[in-house]
Amino acid sequence: MFEVKSSFYEDIAQTGLHELLESMGRILQLGIIVTHPDGHLLANASNLCSFCAILGGNRKGRSMCAASREASVRTAVAAGKEIFHTCHAGLVYGAIPLQVAGETVAVVLVGNVTLRPLAEEAVARLAVEAGIDREKLLAAAHAVPVWTQERLTMAMAAVRKVMDTVTQLLYAKEELERKMTTLGTSLGLALENARLFRKLQARAAVLERLIEAGRQISSSLDTGIVIESVLESVMDVLGADMCALRLIDEDSGELVLKGSVGSDADLQVQAGRVRVEGTVFGKVLQTEKPVVVDDLTASTREEEVPCYLGEMRALAIVPVLAGEKVLGTLEIWSRIPGRWSEEDVGYLGIIGSQAGLALENARLHLSLREYYWTAVQSVAAAVEAKDVYTCGHSLRVARWARTCAKALGLNEEEQEQAYLAGLLHDVGKIGVREDILLKPGALNGEERKQIRTHPVVGAMILEPARFPEAVVSAVRYHHEDYNGGGYPAGLAGEEIPLLARIIRVADAYDAMTSARSYRQRLGTEDAWEELRRGAGQQFDPRVVEVFQRVAAEGLEVAGNGGGGYYYGSSWRDTVFVETGICGSQGEPEKRFEAGDQKRTKQSYNEVSFLDNEVSGSDKAKFIPPTQEEWRVLYSASVLYRDLAPWNWVEETELFGVRDPWSGEIGWCVIVGSLGQMPGLVVYRGDRGYKSYADTISGRKLNFERVVELDVLTAFFSDRKELSRQDVQVIKDLGLTFRGRKQWPCFRSQHPWRLSWYLTSHEARFLAMALLESIRVAVRIRGDEPLRVKRAGKILVREMNASPEVLEPLFAAGLPPVLRNVGEGLSEPYMIPGEVGQGQTDLWVDTWAKPKAYKEPIPKIPYDLNKVRQIAAQASKGGSWDVDIFPLEATIRDETVPYYPATLLVADEKTGFLLYTQIAKPDDRWTALTDKFLDFLLDNRQIPAEIRVERESLLEAWTPLCRNLGIEIRKVTSLPMITFAKKEFIRSLR
């Protein structure tokens, strides 16, 4: 039998099967072996993993591999079909017999992977049996790819498609030789010979183009590039007048056009989405088999086509498959009836299979990338949660390391590895006790020994997760000194991996410029001087030079928004500065007008402040408090602090204080009963009440909810929580505070603005709110029944006189409970219990019911001519996910930094980010809508559908989408937008 088949082996070599399979092995990341039917190699094995290479490089190991291979090949030949086989070393192969005219002429083994990680015990036994170094073989075993059986089956299907074509070529040649023998030297023999030879040449040319098409299609993990390659391949191999690729919309069941060649814009709009029921497309999807319509003008009802009439006559459709899953269809059209032969459809099927495999790989890659980044961020978060003194340390080191890597000329992959290494360099500290990490004094010998284990422990944690070797090495050696005096291995100079040397400098700089439990932070210049002093000793001199250069150019400008946040949160914002620079604490520039003696020296200049509403809807200038207004506010806050009402008043005890100047109700909450930073939070108006209701409902306080807050806050914190400006105001007033949670800190936050300092009006109202909160708290302590609502209404304290009566109080700046101030206030402003008999209170009880708040959505003006032009010119198809949200970074072009409104547009299927734009929050609807229209006009492409998650965006864009002929609908979640947001924000950082 072997002798009979041997005539085919030269033919197999001439078809280029070895080269073809070798290319497919590289693309699919699989090992591929071609053997005789008895298991002997027809050619050298290609693309084998290092584990098999080590075994094959050893005489005994090579003998064991050969015996295992021959057993699996003989089993496949005997069965006459493909089988799965696990070799003696635990690796899995699929054996595919290559048959010509019913005889097996060769067998292709596809695999070199495992279905589960190799057991260390089994690998160790194998090393002993083969006489191979145990550690070397174990290290190689960790690198063996782990696949699912479904994935391996999909890959084998692609190989089998190509082998079927090779089989047809070999069979054709055999038939040719048989007929030549029969016909002899007659003219008929010559003609038949020429015809078959031309046919064989044509098939060989097609096969060559199919091989190249497979390479192109499988060479990218970008869905757009894969689709483009598929269409180009179809046109090249089959010469169709038009071809198209469609994918199934899992929500609607419709086929959505993802790409086409040879169709005009009108046709693309018509065919953007098609329903499949009762059509030829539905038949293909249901049977998973090709369908050919020879003449569309004479087609039956079963062959009904939902689009493309006109001059197209012949149609062939094949399913796009990924394993057993149908992804969509691939179709070709011709103006000539009966154009598509059985061979053409077979070739189209091969390309369709390649497309399905490539598209599924692209989807899996996108999914794995998201899981990968989630895992990285989770590990980094776990490290920082372990050591409160290093909050943000890993992220800053990661950013600096990436910037340094770029400045040193490393490529993008190495820059990303530098970022990962910086993010994870301290992961080994998970294994260090917290009492050591947080110890305020010097460490003893045993404690230092424990701390020094964290680089090795970190590398051990990362290795099983298959992080890149460069990342693992950087984590392991990031505490090595350039002169060889570091740990854990005592490496020196160029022996230390470059990424580890970069992390060493960035880590040291951030450690020096951050406060720790055992010391204060160093200034920037002092830290740079330490780096220069350590160059050549601890640090690589070249890295130090580059680091100082990029640091001097400004790696980032970050702050905490003036030193005070709602409920003591410490949101870390990147502040992009357009006009002026924020200081290290996010403070305003120190400007003041000469001659304004009532303002403190560190107060801000009067500049435009768009979100501060005074007297109805009139916009006011940002006017800082006078010294007298500051004095009244601080006096009220000290009374409030000394009373400590949070000891008996819970956060659910809501009451209101009406602003005497604007008439708006501030809904007050006394905080501190749960152990958080004590103080008072005043939620402004109906919008503020909604924020309060969301908070007590248990909804998670995420970034977007904080951005939407409209609150005034007075907290009592530690000295370190205050900004330089807070301290300067206190000094100017001649006040002193001592101890923890004793220092008053006041802030105002308007929606989409950073938490900031108070205006004059806000300082006045907050002082009144503090004083009335004292009075309400005293009444609650006296068991006065304030908890009872009256028909759903809440207690609101408001003045029964004009606010002008308070002017003498703020003009004198005197503590309100100590003395009467002026004729405008007929009675002293005192806490009940100190008021004499017969006195009249300025403030009275009223009851009010908060109104339901809904964000007002303006009617968006847009250029109707532009909309008509877009609708007329743009092609239509696909589904886009759209969101408008506040970006987690602030821009400062006025006094108060704002969170820019950000528009993201992503492809619903692939998650690719199609468009992004930012705008000021106040004009976000108009500006972002206009920019979106420009994007549609420039690209001449509109979606068939837009999906949104926010009711506000649905309401705002419904009229626009109606004019554009786009369906817009609300969905419960937009996972692709969520992923795009993370990537977009990460790219900014």
Side-chain angles (χ1 to χ4, degrees):
M1 185 69 71
F2 179 83
E3 288 75 11
V4 173
K5 299 186 187 73
S6 63
S7 61
F8 289 108
Y9 300 145
E10 184 177 349
D11 298 333
I12 291 174
Q14 291 177 353
T15 63
L17 180 63
H18 302 319
E19 294 79 5
L20 169 63
L21 293 177
E22 185 176 353
S23 298
M24 291 191 71
R26 287 196 300 270
I27 293 169
L28 298 174
Q29 297 182 348
L30 285 171
I32 296 182
I33 305 172
V34 184
T35 75
H36 291 279
D38 63 355
H40 287 81
L41 294 176
L42 258 173
N44 292 330
S46 62
N47 202 42
L48 295 184
C49 65
S50 58
F51 182 76
C52 287
I54 292 174
L55 287 174
N58 174 278
R59 184 183 59 79
K60 191 167 184 179
R62 188 163 53 250
S63 174
M64 295 165 68
C65 290
S68 179
R69 179 181 66 248
E70 290 169 10
S72 64
V73 168
R74 286 170 179 157
T75 302
V77 171
K81 62 180 181 180
E82 62 185 51
I83 64 167
F84 284 102
H85 175 74
T86 302
C87 75
H88 71 291
L91 274 66
V92 178
Y93 288 87
I96 308 173
L98 178 61
Q99 295 181 329
V100 178
E103 295 184 88
T104 300
V105 299
V107 176
V108 177
L109 299 176
V110 180
N112 201 221
V113 299
T114 66
L115 302 183
R116 61 185 60 84
L118 296 176
E120 291 193 4
E121 298 82 0
V123 175
R125 285 196 303 271
L126 183 61
V128 173
E129 292 173 9
I132 298 172
D133 180 77
R134 178 177 179 273
E135 295 302 322
K136 185 177 180 182
L137 193 61
L138 279 171
H142 288 154
V144 175
V146 179
W147 283 32
T148 63
Q149 186 166 338
E150 179 184 10
R151 185 179 176 186
L152 182 57
T153 302
M154 290 169 57
M156 289 176 62
V159 174
R160 188 171 59 253
K161 287 285 185 182
V162 174
M163 290 177 60
D164 288 344
T165 301
V166 172
T167 300
Q168 292 176 13
L169 290 173
L170 294 175
Y171 183 79
K173 183 177 183 298
E174 184 185 37
E175 284 292 293
L176 174 62
E177 291 175 348
R178 185 180 63 81
K179 290 180 179 180
M180 287 177 65
T181 302
T182 303
L183 296 175
T185 59
S186 65
L187 178 60
L189 172 62
L191 293 174
E192 181 69 5
N193 185 14
R195 185 184 69 81
L196 291 175
F197 182 72
R198 286 195 301 271
K199 187 175 182 180
L200 185 62
Q201 280 187 315
R203 285 183 172 180
V206 171
L207 178 60
E208 184 178 350
R209 293 204 298 274
L210 282 174
I211 293 172
E212 182 59 30
R215 290 173 182 162
Q216 291 294 328
I217 293 170
S218 303
S219 63
S220 175
L221 292 172
D222 184 317
T223 302
I225 295 176
V226 169
I227 292 173
E228 183 180 346
S229 299
V230 169
L231 298 175
E232 289 179 352
S233 300
V234 170
M235 296 298 283
D236 175 58
V237 174
L238 299 174
D241 292 320
M242 185 170 66
C243 65
L245 186 144
R246 305 171 185 276
L247 298 180
I248 299 173
D249 182 337
E250 294 182 357
D251 292 333
S252 66
E254 296 176 325
L255 279 172
V256 180
L257 182 66
K258 293 298 181 180
S260 66
V261 176
S263 60
D264 58 29
D266 292 338
L267 210 53
Q268 290 177 7
V269 172
Q270 178 191 1
R273 300 179 75 90
V274 296
R275 296 195 174 277
V276 300
E277 295 84 358
T279 71
V280 67
F281 291 103
K283 185 177 180 181
V284 171
L285 297 180
Q286 185 177 7
T287 63
E288 299 182 13
K289 295 181 179 179
V291 170
V292 179
V293 181
D294 289 328
D295 191 347
L296 290 167
T297 61
S299 60
T300 65
R301 181 172 180 81
E302 293 180 353
E303 297 173 331
E304 182 178 343
V305 179
C307 55
Y308 302 129
L309 298 176
E311 56 187 1
M312 295 298 169
R313 298 290 298 276
L315 166 65
I317 311 173
V318 297
V320 175
L321 302 172
E324 298 180 357
K325 182 179 180 182
V326 183
L327 302 182
T329 61
L330 181 62
E331 62 208 56
I332 50 176
W333 304 75
S334 174
R335 296 180 177 88
I336 303 172
R339 166 70 172 79
W340 308 119
S341 66
E342 186 176 344
E343 282 186 351
D344 292 333
V345 177
Y347 296 146
L348 185 65
I350 292 175
I351 297 176
S353 297
Q354 293 170 331
L357 184 62
L359 289 170
E360 184 67 7
N361 282 341
R363 185 191 66 80
L364 290 172
H365 174 73
L366 185 67
S367 178
L368 288 172
R369 185 182 179 192
E370 183 174 1
Y371 294 150
Y372 175 72
W373 275 106
T374 301
V376 169
Q377 291 162 355
S378 298
V379 172
V383 175
E384 301 226 334
K386 184 86 172 177
D387 185 354
V388 297
Y389 286 97
T390 61
C391 183
H393 167 72
S394 296
L395 186 57
R396 293 190 296 273
V397 171
R399 294 174 185 168
W400 287 336
R402 180 163 55 191
T403 306
C404 265
K406 182 177 181 180
L408 285 165
L410 303 188
N411 60 39
E412 289 187 5
E413 181 181 4
E414 291 168 321
Q415 293 172 34
E416 198 64 21
Q417 289 173 351
Y419 180 86
L420 276 176
L423 200 62
L424 300 172
H425 73 283
D426 277 342
V427 68
K429 287 185 178 178
I430 288 179
V432 180
R433 298 199 319 268
E434 291 174 358
D435 60 320
I436 297 177
L437 289 176
L438 304 178
K439 185 174 181 180
L443 301 179
N444 60 37
E446 183 60 32
E447 290 167 341
R448 279 196 300 273
K449 184 177 179 181
Q450 275 216 33
I451 282 285
R452 290 190 170 199
T453 63
H454 83 267
V456 174
V457 172
M460 291 172 63
I461 290 172
L462 299 183
E463 281 175 337
R466 306 284 178 88
F467 280 91
E469 178 58 33
V471 174
V472 177
S473 295
V475 171
R476 186 188 302 274
Y477 300 120
H478 77 276
H479 272 291
E480 298 287 358
D481 287 347
Y482 197 71
N483 65 357
Y487 61 89
L491 303 181
E494 300 297 319
E495 293 177 335
I496 308 170
L498 178 56
L499 295 189
R501 283 178 268 153
I502 293 172
I503 301 299
R504 183 76 170 103
V505 174
D507 184 29
Y509 176 81
D510 189 72
M512 287 187 287
T513 55
S514 302
R516 297 297 172 91
S517 58
Y518 49 86
R519 59 155 174 79
Q520 294 296 315
R521 64 184 293 274
L522 290 181
T524 302
E525 290 298 333
D526 292 335
W528 285 3
E529 182 57 36
E530 287 296 322
L531 290 180
R532 285 191 288 267
R533 187 179 296 116
Q537 301 297 315
Q538 291 175 286
F539 314 118
D540 182 338
R542 184 166 66 106
V543 175
V544 170
E545 178 186 354
V546 170
F547 182 86
Q548 289 191 271
R549 186 174 72 248
V550 297
E553 293 170 356
L555 293 175
E556 62 182 344
V557 181
N560 64 2
Y565 277 88
Y566 173 68
Y567 278 25
S569 299
S570 56
W571 297 95
R572 293 182 177 270
D573 297 276
T574 301
V575 181
F576 297 94
V577 182
E578 293 186 2
T579 60
I581 300 294
C582 261
S584 61
Q585 294 295 323
E587 300 172 14
E589 294 179 275
K590 299 174 178 58
R591 308 170 182 166
F592 63 96
E593 293 182 1
D596 189 0
Q597 299 300 323
K598 291 188 177 182
R599 311 292 174 198
T600 62
K601 291 182 179 180
Q602 303 293 352
S603 294
Y604 351 114
N605 191 20
E606 296 183 8
V607 294
S608 175
F609 179 53
L610 298 180
D611 286 326
N612 183 35
E613 296 195 8
V614 179
S615 301
S617 61
D618 294 335
K619 300 297 181 182
K621 291 200 171 190
F622 186 84
I623 303 174
T626 64
Q627 282 189 319
E628 290 73 18
E629 288 166 341
W630 276 129
R631 192 177 300 280
V632 172
L633 177 58
Y634 274 96
S635 299
S637 69
V638 170
L639 288 170
Y640 181 90
R641 182 200 63 189
D642 293 344
L643 184 65
W646 48 85
N647 288 328
W648 70 88
V649 181
E650 298 181 358
E651 292 186 18
T652 54
E653 297 286 0
L654 181 72
F655 57 93
V657 175
R658 191 179 295 278
D659 187 331
W661 296 273
S662 71
E664 184 179 62
I665 297 176
W667 301 102
C668 299
V669 177
I670 295 171
V671 297
S673 62
L674 300 179
Q676 73 274 52
M677 194 180 296
L680 178 71
V681 178
V682 183
Y683 295 87
R684 291 183 282 210
D686 297 330
R687 182 173 194 154
Y689 179 81
K690 181 180 184 299
S691 296
Y692 166 77
D694 288 343
T695 300
I696 63 172
S697 70
R699 288 182 60 198
K700 184 179 178 181
L701 187 67
N702 57 21
F703 169 74
E704 289 200 18
R705 286 188 55 210
V706 170
V707 169
E708 291 290 341
L709 288 174
D710 194 350
V711 296
L712 286 172
T713 58
F715 284 113
F716 301 98
S717 56
D718 301 343
R719 165 65 180 82
K720 63 182 180 181
E721 297 291 335
L722 271 61
S723 70
R724 291 192 298 271
Q725 182 145 346
D726 293 321
V727 175
Q728 187 62 51
V729 171
I730 292 172
K731 287 181 179 179
D732 290 346
L733 295 174
L735 302 176
T736 57
F737 299 98
R738 294 287 185 272
R740 299 190 65 225
K741 297 184 179 180
Q742 297 294 307
W743 296 72
C745 181
F746 311 109
R747 292 293 182 267
S748 167
Q749 181 174 338
H750 291 265
W752 294 69
R753 297 275 174 172
L754 199 61
S755 180
W756 209 247
Y757 301 99
L758 304 183
T759 65
S760 170
H761 165 245
E762 290 169 336
R764 286 177 169 232
F765 176 48
L766 186 54
M768 296 297 101
L770 283 164
L771 291 169
E772 286 308 302
S773 298
I774 291 172
R775 305 178 80 181
V776 171
V778 169
R779 292 163 66 181
I780 292 175
R781 185 170 58 181
D783 293 328
E784 187 169 326
L786 295 176
R787 295 176 176 82
V788 180
K789 294 182 178 180
R790 298 185 180 180
K793 295 182 178 180
I794 301 173
L795 172 70
V796 175
R797 296 285 290 168
E798 65 178 60
M799 284 185 62
N800 61 358
S802 171
E804 283 76 18
V805 300
L806 297 175
E807 290 307 315
L809 172 70
F810 289 107
L814 298 178
V817 297
L818 297 183
R819 57 181 294 182
N820 192 340
V821 287
E823 299 177 356
L825 190 61
S826 59
E827 301 293 343
Y829 194 108
M830 296 183 179
I831 296 174
E834 299 181 6
V835 178
Q837 186 176 2
Q839 291 182 323
T840 301
D841 198 342
L842 279 174
W843 294 78
V844 296
D845 287 350
T846 60
W847 298 82
K849 185 176 182 179
K851 298 177 182 178
Y853 176 81
K854 181 181 179 182
E855 181 184 2
I857 307 300
K859 185 176 180 181
I860 303 173
Y862 49 82
D863 188 339
L864 191 56
N865 290 329
K866 184 187 293 185
V867 171
R868 290 170 178 163
Q869 185 180 359
I870 293 169
Q873 296 181 1
S875 59
K876 185 178 181 181
S879 178
W880 293 357
D881 290 351
V882 179
D883 195 20
I884 293 178
F885 62 96
L887 185 64
E888 291 185 54
T890 52
I891 292 178
R892 182 182 176 206
D893 63 351
E894 300 164 356
T895 298
V896 182
Y898 62 82
Y899 297 96
T902 306
L903 168 68
L904 282 189
V905 181
D907 183 87
E908 180 256 327
K909 286 298 183 186
T910 66
F912 291 150
L913 190 58
L914 303 176
Y915 183 64
T916 180
Q917 186 61 250
I918 65 172
K920 291 184 178 181
D922 303 307
D923 59 355
R924 60 185 181 276
W925 294 115
T926 302
L928 293 179
T929 301
D930 193 51
K931 292 292 185 183
F932 179 67
L933 290 175
D934 288 340
F935 165 69
L936 297 181
L937 187 61
D938 292 342
N939 288 273
R940 299 194 174 189
Q941 175 75 28
I942 61 175
E945 174 192 61
I946 286 178
R947 308 191 321 159
V948 300
E949 187 176 1
R950 302 175 196 269
E951 188 69 36
S952 58
L953 185 53
L954 177 68
E955 182 180 339
W957 275 22
T958 293
L960 173 66
C961 289
R962 188 182 300 118
N963 282 322
L964 286 169
I966 300 173
E967 179 186 354
I968 183 169
R969 64 187 178 97
K970 185 175 179 292
V971 295
T972 56
S973 65
L974 298 173
M976 289 304 181
I977 283 287
T978 301
F979 176 66
K981 281 183 187 177
K982 293 178 182 177
E983 292 297 295
F984 180 59
I985 293 169
R986 184 178 67 85
S987 69
L988 290 177
R989 292 174 173 170

